[in-house]
Amino acid sequence: MTETDRLSLFFSNEFPFNKEGLEEFVHTFVIKSYKKGEIILENGNTENELRFLDQGIIREFYATNGREKNINFYTNASFITDFSSFTHATPSKKYQECLTDVHLRVLSKEKFVTFTNQYNCGKLFIETIFQRIVVNKETEEFNHFVNTAEELYLDIMKNKPDWLLQIPQYHIASYLGITPETLSRIRKRI
């Protein structure tokens, strides 16, 4: 499946709207490649492009005073843009780092705005994305508050098993808010 096909399929499944506009929209994206270890979003920078992950793994994290806390991993075809920063033109609080070589499809904010003005479907896209972000974030925060690290790990095993195969354990430990040694003990018990 080509990169354009993945993006078209994503929109067809997740955001069905004007097919004519969809084709034009998908062909407006450009391909960018990044190497393992590259930072593609930095705290303090304002998001100025839509980024769609076509291939690779990206970790999203907060960092302050030499400490990092992983908040998400992207392993499947999806948008990885900080939509709050993108929509409101405010500095991002997040970092995104490539854990593998990564291929993205990218669209500048300027081209996105032109497209949304022309087809009026971008508004629905942004509203739907925000609704999903709010629901996912609320669920995640609640789960991290009420569940133990072991319960969170079991949830990853059930709902995101690809993380356990593709992401280093010390990153998983950071996501769970525990040390790698504690994660090792949890894995032995399970």
Side-chain angles (χ1 to χ4, degrees), residues 77-104:
S78 64
F79 279 93
I80 62 165
T81 302
D82 179 342
F83 283 97
S84 180
S85 175
F86 181 82
T87 304
H88 301 294
T90 56
S92 179
K93 295 179 174 108
K94 303 172 184 180
Y95 289 86
Q96 290 179 341
E97 176 188 23
C98 301
L99 292 182
T100 62
D101 289 350
V102 168
H103 298 287
L104 301 177

Side-chain angles (χ1 to χ4, degrees), residues 71-173:
I71 56 172
N72 202 357
F73 300 100
Y74 298 96
T75 58
N76 299 314
S78 64
F79 279 93
I80 62 165
T81 302
D82 179 342
F83 283 97
S84 180
S85 175
F86 181 82
T87 304
H88 301 294
T90 56
S92 179
K93 295 179 174 108
K94 303 172 184 180
Y95 289 86
Q96 290 179 341
E97 176 188 23
C98 301
L99 292 182
T100 62
D101 289 350
V102 168
H103 298 287
L104 301 177
R105 297 195 47 85
V106 177
L107 181 68
S108 72
K109 185 172 185 175
E110 180 183 327
K111 287 184 180 177
F112 177 74
V113 169
T114 300
F115 179 83
T116 56
N117 289 338
Q118 182 179 356
Y119 288 100
N120 202 25
C121 54
K123 194 174 182 185
L124 174 64
F125 169 69
I126 290 294
E127 287 172 3
T128 306
I129 283 285
F130 267 115
Q131 288 170 359
R132 288 183 186 182
I133 289 171
V134 168
V135 168
N136 289 341
K137 194 53 124 176
E138 201 168 282
T139 301
E140 180 123 351
E141 286 174 0
F142 181 76
N143 285 340
H144 271 81
F145 180 72
V146 300
N147 293 326
T148 66
E150 187 167 329
E151 290 168 330
L152 292 171
Y153 185 79
L154 288 168
D155 184 62
I156 291 171
M157 287 178 67
K158 179 180 175 187
N159 297 311
K160 301 172 184 173
D162 57 317
W163 284 18
L164 301 178
L165 299 173
Q166 300 175 18
I167 297 168
Q169 292 300 299
Y170 67 94
H171 282 310
I172 299 289

Side-chain angles (χ1 to χ4, degrees), residues 16-114:
F17 57 78
N18 183 323
K19 297 297 180 190
E20 177 187 6
L22 173 61
E23 188 174 324
E24 183 179 339
F25 186 62
V26 167
H27 289 294
T28 307
F29 282 76
V30 296
I31 297 170
K32 283 189 179 178
S33 297
Y34 296 87
K35 295 287 183 197
K36 178 180 178 178
E38 281 190 72
I39 301 291
I40 59 173
L41 177 64
E42 260 186 85
N43 174 14
N45 291 348
T46 301
E47 191 75 88
N48 61 5
E49 60 188 17
L50 280 178
R51 289 187 313 279
F52 181 84
L53 176 63
D54 188 59
Q55 185 178 24
I57 301 172
I58 292 175
R59 81 174 174 118
E60 189 169 70
F61 63 100
Y62 295 122
T64 183
N65 301 327
R67 289 184 31 220
E68 294 180 359
K69 169 71 171 138
N70 291 321
I71 56 172
N72 202 357
F73 300 100
Y74 298 96
T75 58
N76 299 314
S78 64
F79 279 93
I80 62 165
T81 302
D82 179 342
F83 283 97
S84 180
S85 175
F86 181 82
T87 304
H88 301 294
T90 56
S92 179
K93 295 179 174 108
K94 303 172 184 180
Y95 289 86
Q96 290 179 341
E97 176 188 23
C98 301
L99 292 182
T100 62
D101 289 350
V102 168
H103 298 287
L104 301 177
R105 297 195 47 85
V106 177
L107 181 68
S108 72
K109 185 172 185 175
E110 180 183 327
K111 287 184 180 177
F112 177 74
V113 169
T114 300

